[in-house]
Amino acid sequence: MRGTRGRASVEIDIFTLFPEWFQWFYTQRHVRNALAAGSRLECVGIREHTPLSGGQVDDTPFGGGAGMVLRVDVMEAALRARYGVDPMELRDRRRVVALTPGGRLLDDGYVSELAAEDSLTLLCGRYEGFDERIVEHFASDTLSIGRYVLSGGEPAAMVVCDAVLRKLPGSLGDAHSAVEESFSEALEGNPEYPHYTRPAEYRGWRVPDVLLSGHHERIESWRRERSRERAQDR
Ligand SMILES: C[S@@+](CC[C@H](N)C(=O)[O-])C[C@H]1O[C@@H](n2cnc3c(N)ncnc32)[C@H](O)[C@@H]1O
């Protein structure tokens, strides 16, 4: 079921041929915090559910060409094993996101949309990618983390999970970090302003005086101005 904005937790299933990729990811602090606060992140090993012999999951492309294509019957078996329904019906119940280089580009608005869901399913491709019928009939979205090609969907899934989980309450040490950051509403969708810390002067590079002034209104206005400038520059 689709949720409402401002949820406290999300349940994410990642379908992958390489679940072991995520072992390190699980140990990261903000991920652990998000899980402790009620979110769930689980990997489903696609190969474990293949109906084909010898753990086969892919096949050569019709029409010829390089590489191997992830089979639609194999993906269906994995989705059925997890959810117990025809995967065609699944996307009415939860967001099923196929990770593809040519998909909808991930940005802060898209992350917020995903973070507002109760549950997400991320499908990681490998090799030449998905049999297109997986995308057409099982997925609700195609998502790209950028216009370049990775070897597999796993790093893309981590990017999505990282960006989604840090939007949820309890994930970050300081909840305010996610409220006022690049592209947030608080900064009118602009990149964040520059930060500085001690020493106040280093090799002759001085921190802007206003930041040392203790004058909160002037600091606030200086930050907004730098943030707008950065939006124009980029
Ligand atoms: C080698 S890529 C397949 C590339 C595909 N043949 C093409 O030219 O678009 C294998 C898998 O990595 C994932 N992938 C690669 N680049 C990605 C990106 N920029 N965003 C999201 N997923 C990506 C997808 O799941 C894809 O199926």
Side-chain angles (χ1 to χ4, degrees):
M1 285 297 150
R2 300 285 150 82
T4 52
R5 280 183 78 89
R7 290 192 53 74
S9 64
V10 61
E11 299 193 344
I12 307 178
D13 288 338
I14 303 165
F15 284 68
T16 170
L17 288 169
F18 300 99
E20 64 277 10
W21 272 59
F22 293 86
Q23 278 166 12
W24 166 84
F25 186 68
Y26 277 115
T27 65
Q28 298 312 296
R29 180 123 159 234
H30 66 290
V31 176
R32 280 192 282 123
N33 287 348
L35 300 185
S39 289
R40 196 176 52 71
L41 184 64
E42 284 182 27
C43 288
V44 178
I46 298 170
R47 202 182 297 279
E48 285 167 32
H49 302 286
T50 180
L52 307 175
S53 61
Q56 184 185 351
V57 292
D58 54 8
D59 224 318
T60 52
F62 284 127
M68 301 292 275
V69 176
L70 200 53
R71 286 177 55 136
V72 62
D73 49 351
V74 171
M75 189 61 90
E76 169 155 355
L79 288 164
R80 272 188 191 273
R82 179 70 174 176
Y83 302 113
V85 295
D86 184 334
M88 283 187 69
E89 295 164 20
L90 191 61
R91 58 185 172 184
D92 295 330
R93 302 181 182 194
R94 59 192 287 140
R95 202 91 170 240
V96 181
V97 179
L99 298 161
T100 62
R104 176 178 165 195
L105 269 180
L106 190 65
D107 62 10
D108 192 60
Y110 196 179
V111 172
S112 295
E113 229 179 82
L114 297 177
E117 297 286 340
D118 297 322
S119 53
L120 296 173
T121 297
L122 304 180
L123 306 180
C124 300
R126 273 270 157 180
Y127 320 120
E128 226 23 70
F130 302 108
D131 182 305
E132 190 58 23
R133 291 167 290 187
I134 295 174
V135 176
E136 263 179 48
H137 301 293
F138 300 158
S140 51
D141 298 47
T142 57
L143 182 156
S144 171
I145 63 161
R147 294 293 186 242
Y148 43 80
V149 180
L150 302 164
S151 304
E154 290 74 17
M158 287 185 217
V159 167
V160 174
C161 291
D162 187 301
V164 165
L165 292 178
R166 73 192 299 289
K167 291 255 184 207
L168 302 178
S171 176
L172 301 181
D174 180 349
H176 191 70
S177 304
V179 174
E180 187 172 298
E181 63 180 358
S182 290
F183 321 120
S184 61
E185 280 175 29
L187 295 182
E188 302 155 8
N190 297 326
E192 200 182 46
Y193 43 80
H195 294 286
Y196 299 88
T197 186
R198 292 184 185 84
E201 184 161 345
Y202 183 70
R203 295 183 59 187
W205 305 323
R206 222 182 123 62
V207 169
D209 285 338
V210 62
L211 297 179
L212 308 174
S213 69
H215 195 297
H216 294 300
E217 269 173 36
R218 280 178 48 216
I219 293 172
E220 199 55 21
S221 130
W222 180 89
R223 286 178 165 166
R224 292 283 172 282
E225 206 39 53
R226 298 292 83 70
S227 177
R228 284 187 205 113
E229 264 173 24
R230 283 186 161 178
Q232 279 161 11
D233 289 351
R234 290 166 199 182

